[in-house]
Amino acid sequence: MTDTIFNKIIRREIPADIVYEDEHVLAFRDINPQAPVHVLFIPKVAKATLNDLSMDDAEYVGRLMVAAASYAKQEGFAEKGYRTVINCNHDGGQTVFHIHLHLLAGRSLHWPPG
Ligand code: 5GP
């Protein structure tokens, strides 16, 4: 896959407001937040979309969810609630082709989404 802006953030070639990091996952605030809390959780090893995953990648993608939930607890909004989203390809609204989990919180979120 081609290099994306998120790989540049991982390599610290462009700035980002990083809020969490471990061996496998990096999380940083979205540049165009859609809620008071809008953080992106990305795997350090890039795959373009959910369509590129197999069952062998269950842990790879599961780590994003667990990291997001841990962050929500740590920041104190887990009980109130939040939303996690992974957009896939054009109809899903994906614009950056490096898998990422959106964590949205801090306001009441509508359903169905737009
Ligand atoms: P997608 O639409 O692919 O699901 O989400 C991509 C997200 O990445 C968007 O919410 C967009 O605002 C965010 N984004 C794009 N470029 C940058 C950037 O350079 N820095 C940060 N922090 N977020 C970005």
Side-chain angles (χ1 to χ4, degrees):
M1 61 173 279
T2 53
D3 207 19
T4 69
I5 195 112
F6 289 176
N7 267 330
K8 292 186 171 64
I9 289 174
I10 290 169
R11 295 195 300 261
R12 281 23 181 210
E13 290 171 9
I14 62 167
D17 187 357
I18 293 169
V19 298
Y20 173 82
E21 180 167 23
D22 65 27
E23 188 186 345
H24 303 282
V25 175
L26 186 72
F28 50 90
R29 292 188 199 285
D30 197 294
I31 205 167
N32 183 24
Q34 301 301 308
V37 176
H38 188 172
V39 175
L40 303 174
F41 289 77
I42 68 171
K44 288 186 175 175
V45 176
K47 291 178 187 276
T49 82
L50 280 183
N51 294 336
D52 298 308
L53 301 185
S54 69
M55 274 301 173
D56 290 342
D57 297 310
E59 188 174 321
Y60 169 88
V61 73
R63 285 180 183 281
L64 304 179
M65 285 280 187
V66 176
S70 299
Y71 179 77
K73 286 180 218 163
Q74 177 200 301
E75 294 300 304
F77 59 82
E79 289 305 318
K80 202 160 186 197
Y82 56 92
R83 182 172 295 166
T84 58
V85 176
I86 299 180
N87 297 324
C88 183
N89 279 341
H90 178 269
D91 278 6
Q94 186 174 7
T95 58
V96 179
F97 289 86
H98 178 143
I99 285 177
H100 50 282
L101 180 85
H102 296 257
L103 172 65
L104 299 147
R107 67 174 171 85
S108 188
L109 298 160
H110 305 292
W111 194 264

